[in-house]
Amino acid sequence: MAGARAAVIPVAAPPRTISVSLAASPSSSHPLRPVASSGVSCSQRRLPTAAAAAAARNHPPPSASHGAASRLYVSGLSFRTTEESLRNAFERFGQLTEVNLVMDRVAKRPRGFAFLSYASEEESKNAMEGMHGKFLDGRVIFVEVARQRSEL
């Protein structure tokens, strides 16, 4: 047995579990921030759609004092939203001259935002006031004046 080698069998460590509670902790500034029992906080959860709609009602769209233009930025769109559904939802406020639903080239689905253009600033203002914080395809959408990239 002098030439026999002992076999080494690796033993996997048992999986570690971390319990998460939704109770507020003294170090957490947000009452719904999940806190792991190990003291490491997890990322903040998205608000449910009904709560997001309530939040949108409490935060009105940007005022027209910023120089409302006829081009709008719509965010929070569902991945199921199509240009046709966007057009149907927004054309009641006036004549749409452009509907640009931004698509993900790789996934071949909408990225969740779009740009709309109206024939006049008054129509775009009405659309912004009428659709900001409303539901479209099961999601709360946010409508604001589109800014040029240099303004970002």
Side-chain angles (χ1 to χ4, degrees), residues 102-123:
V102 180
M103 301 291 286
D104 185 333
R105 292 183 204 147
V106 176
K108 297 187 181 353
R109 64 181 170 110
R111 289 186 58 194
F113 63 95
F115 295 96
L116 305 173
S117 294
Y118 281 93
S120 72
E121 289 185 20
E122 185 66 28
E123 293 170 342

Side-chain angles (χ1 to χ4, degrees), residues 46 73-81 100-115 139 149:
R46 287 186 152 213
Y73 171 72
V74 182
S75 61
L77 295 173
S78 167
F79 295 137
R80 297 176 307 203
T81 300
N100 181 12
L101 179 62
V102 180
M103 301 291 286
D104 185 333
R105 292 183 204 147
V106 176
K108 297 187 181 353
R109 64 181 170 110
R111 289 186 58 194
F113 63 95
F115 295 96
R139 299 277 309 262
R149 285 185 181 233

Side-chain angles (χ1 to χ4, degrees), residues 2-146:
R5 288 198 256 169
V8 178
I9 301 172
V11 177
R16 295 172 53 187
T17 59
I18 298 175
S19 62
V20 176
S21 67
L22 291 177
S25 70
S27 64
S28 175
S29 63
H30 192 280
L32 293 180
R33 182 180 298 271
V35 178
S37 61
S38 64
V40 178
S41 63
C42 301
S43 63
Q44 186 172 353
R45 292 177 48 173
R46 287 186 152 213
L47 293 173
T49 56
R57 284 191 295 273
N58 294 335
H59 299 290
S63 67
S65 64
H66 292 108
S70 61
R71 188 167 164 93
L72 299 176
Y73 171 72
V74 182
S75 61
L77 295 173
S78 167
F79 295 137
R80 297 176 307 203
T81 300
T82 63
E83 283 191 18
E84 182 181 350
S85 65
L86 262 176
R87 186 175 295 280
N88 290 338
F90 281 88
E91 69 185 353
R92 64 184 167 153
F93 298 102
Q95 179 186 356
L96 282 167
T97 58
E98 175 193 14
V99 176
N100 181 12
L101 179 62
V102 180
M103 301 291 286
D104 185 333
R105 292 183 204 147
V106 176
K108 297 187 181 353
R109 64 181 170 110
R111 289 186 58 194
F113 63 95
F115 295 96
L116 305 173
S117 294
Y118 281 93
S120 72
E121 289 185 20
E122 185 66 28
E123 293 170 342
S124 67
K125 181 181 174 212
N126 291 338
M128 187 170 53
E129 291 171 354
M131 292 299 289
H132 182 78
K134 300 293 192 255
F135 283 93
L136 180 64
D137 295 331
R139 299 277 309 262
V140 176
I141 62 169
F142 303 95
V143 183
E144 57 191 66
V145 174

